Amino acid sequence: MSKWSVILLFIGLFVVSDGSPLSHESSDSGEVDTTGYSSFTLNLQLKCKENAGSNAAFWAVMESVEKTSICLSEFKTVSENLKRDFNQMTNETRTAFFTKYCSAARSALPCFDDVQATLRTCLKERGFKILKVVYNVFPKALNYVCKNDGEIIYKLKDPTRHDCLTQKFDQLSECARTVKRNLNFDGDITELTKDQCSILTTYRQCLKDTMDTCDLSDIVSIYDMIMNPVLRLSPCANNTEEQKDESHQDNANNDVLNGDEKV
């Protein structure tokens, strides 16, 4: 299974198929009916069979993804109200807002437990290490975002910062489009080229420049907390810019790699 795709799975970009129910008709045969499946899923099926020797591991992952989807659906109402409540949030209601939504987000994280367990069979050692990093980093990033009643995110409510970010939106969008257009990424984070690493570095700099201009530099810390531990396991390790003025950053990244949890 491609390592980058593991990351995408845990940030909500994993698409199993076109929504059709899973079928196990050929799970014990040499073939799997993958009609309508995404290229990600096709690659997953091949890697599961390659590493486990049968299609059973693939179907175990597919079943765990279904369970994850069902588990997350329990939080649908909460997520649907998030934007409305954020727009209506004031400094007086801030504590209640972040208490509610940070608690809900933490409660949703275990929905991915079964996926992590079943993917282990389909991954080689390097892939599993990346999976572990991704799995461990999100609770820590969430704790960072929720710290001090969401101080980092609440800054987005400040009119001056909000207006600045609105004015820079097109610039940020173009940075993202440039990455999508030029990365030409085949899915394996262990085989990134020097040019591809440079593209990722340029995007990070674009994000940093924009957030610094709008006095929202802490947003970049969230990006680094998620991406740096993963990129350290890739050829982009030497291109990864560390946070020099945020001592918590190195400590957080080390905790992620060690699998430690500090709330």
Side-chain angles (χ1 to χ4, degrees), residues 184-197:
N184 295 321
F185 186 59
D186 66 1
D188 193 340
I189 197 172
T190 65
E191 297 181 1
L192 287 171
T193 66
K194 183 178 180 180
D195 287 343
Q196 289 171 325
C197 292

Side-chain angles (χ1 to χ4, degrees), residues 16-177:
V16 179
S17 65
D18 61 355
S20 303
L22 294 176
S23 170
H24 293 242
E25 291 179 359
S26 52
S27 61
D28 295 325
S29 69
E31 300 295 332
V32 172
D33 181 6
T34 54
T35 303
Y37 282 2
S38 67
S39 59
F40 174 93
T41 310
L42 295 175
N43 188 42
L44 169 63
Q45 187 268 327
L46 292 174
K47 291 300 182 182
C48 285
K49 188 169 185 179
E50 175 184 310
N51 294 329
S54 74
N55 288 320
F58 170 71
W59 291 119
V61 174
M62 293 296 94
E63 288 177 353
S64 70
V65 170
E66 282 193 318
K67 291 177 182 178
T68 297
S69 179
I70 293 171
C71 180
L72 292 175
S73 69
E74 298 179 7
F75 299 91
K76 182 178 180 180
T77 301
V78 176
S79 64
E80 288 175 344
N81 294 334
L82 176 62
K83 183 177 181 180
R84 180 202 65 193
D85 290 350
F86 180 81
N87 290 335
Q88 295 177 354
M89 178 176 52
T90 64
N91 195 47
E92 288 70 28
T93 63
R94 174 176 150 193
T95 298
F97 175 90
F98 284 100
T99 297
K100 174 183 177 180
Y101 286 103
C102 289
S103 176
R106 291 189 181 100
S107 297
L109 288 174
C111 290
F112 295 97
D113 287 351
D114 194 47
V115 174
Q116 181 191 215
T118 55
L119 277 171
R120 178 65 184 95
T121 306
C122 296
L123 299 175
K124 294 182 179 180
E125 190 59 34
R126 176 62 65 87
F128 181 68
K129 185 178 291 187
I130 292 176
L131 172 63
K132 184 178 180 181
V133 166
V134 175
Y135 189 74
N136 286 328
V137 76
F138 280 103
K140 298 175 186 303
L142 178 61
N143 288 340
Y144 182 61
V145 168
C146 295
K147 184 179 179 181
N148 296 332
D149 293 333
E151 180 179 5
I152 295 171
I153 303 301
Y154 188 71
K155 288 180 179 179
L156 294 171
K157 297 284 290 184
D158 176 73
T160 301
R161 294 186 177 99
H162 181 271
D163 290 346
C164 176
L165 196 58
T166 299
Q167 293 171 10
K168 297 288 184 178
F169 181 78
D170 288 342
Q171 177 181 329
L172 283 173
S173 297
E174 180 55 31
C175 290
R177 284 192 293 268

Side-chain angles (χ1 to χ4, degrees), residues 2-14:
S2 65
K3 286 78 177 179
W4 192 262
S5 295
V6 174
I7 300 169
L8 297 185
L9 183 149
F10 280 94
I11 60 175
L13 298 181
F14 178 51

